[in-house]
Amino acid sequence: MPEVIKNNSDVLFVNHEMIEEIKYEALQSSRHMARLLMHLSHEDVVQEMLIAMGRGCVVTPNSAAGKSESLQVIEGRLLLVIFDLEGNVVKEEEMAPVGNNCASIYRLNFTPWHTMIPLTEMVVVHETLQGPFENSSEPMPSWIPSDNSSMKKFIQKILVNSKLA
């Protein structure tokens, strides 16, 4: 199974076995991430994904100007970090499944620059984005590192400075 699994069924039920398979693929991936695209097409107005991220996963800060996004943590813990336009952290929120005394769902009615940082060995989330999918034509801000090594240092600095350190 590849890092990106595409659904081709009009009716999709996600069960424990599928989640375990996605987690396994994330552990095998050099990026420590795998996703199940639950929608059928990049043109769908609702884009839903089940995403598994191992602790070593580095999510480059991203934004989808003019679009909304929501996310629910299914398993594990993560740190959601929201940045201003200059790259300063303006909000960080620890997230975990319902019943863990943390936020379990977020809804962004606009999509500021943000990233997710896994805090446990494995994190599984259900993410919903406003479609259709478009590769951002917006240039990356200069504060976002352009190479993997610098990005890992950038993420580590956020963790060290976070309230969770």
Side-chain angles (χ1 to χ4, degrees):
M1 189 187 297
E3 283 183 8
V4 177
I5 303 113
K6 295 180 180 177
N7 172 39
N8 58 10
S9 175
D10 285 334
V11 178
L12 175 68
F13 293 97
V14 176
N15 59 29
H16 177 75
E17 182 179 310
M18 291 173 78
I19 292 172
E20 290 302 311
E21 202 167 337
I22 294 165
K23 288 166 44 177
Y24 174 80
E25 288 302 319
L27 292 173
Q28 303 308 306
S29 161
S30 62
R31 296 180 56 226
H32 307 281
M33 177 191 281
R35 66 182 70 222
L36 167 63
L37 303 181
M38 298 168 68
H39 52 282
L40 295 173
S41 164
H42 288 312
E43 276 70 52
D44 288 355
V45 295
V46 176
Q47 307 276 308
E48 284 187 272
M49 292 160 278
L50 195 65
I51 306 169
M53 298 174 280
R55 188 185 288 277
C57 181
V58 175
V59 179
T60 301
N62 60 88
S63 171
K67 296 200 174 190
S68 62
E69 172 180 311
S70 64
L71 179 135
Q72 179 176 9
V73 178
I74 305 295
E75 180 180 317
R77 289 179 25 245
L78 65 82
L79 180 65
L80 172 71
V81 182
I82 298 176
F83 305 94
D84 65 16
L85 295 176
E86 288 76 44
N88 301 304
V89 174
V90 295
K91 176 83 174 152
E92 57 181 35
E93 187 75 35
E94 182 179 1
M95 298 185 66
V98 172
N100 282 283
N101 217 21
C102 296
S104 59
I105 300 172
Y106 74 64
R107 162 74 182 193
L108 303 172
N109 289 310
F110 68 101
T111 312
W113 289 99
H114 65 287
T115 190
M116 297 177 288
I117 304 171
L119 299 173
T120 52
E121 290 304 313
M122 182 59 62
V123 177
V124 179
V125 299
H126 174 227
E127 183 177 62
T128 305
L129 306 168
Q130 183 179 347
F133 174 78
E134 299 167 356
N135 278 324
S136 177
S137 58
E138 190 175 339
M140 293 290 261
S142 61
W143 55 267
I144 297 178
S146 58
D147 65 272
N148 198 38
S149 176
S150 297
M151 182 59 72
K152 285 181 179 182
K153 290 176 187 171
F154 177 79
I155 296 296
Q156 189 58 40
K157 182 178 177 186
I158 292 170
L159 283 172
V160 167
N161 292 328
S162 82
K163 61 186 176 190
L164 300 175

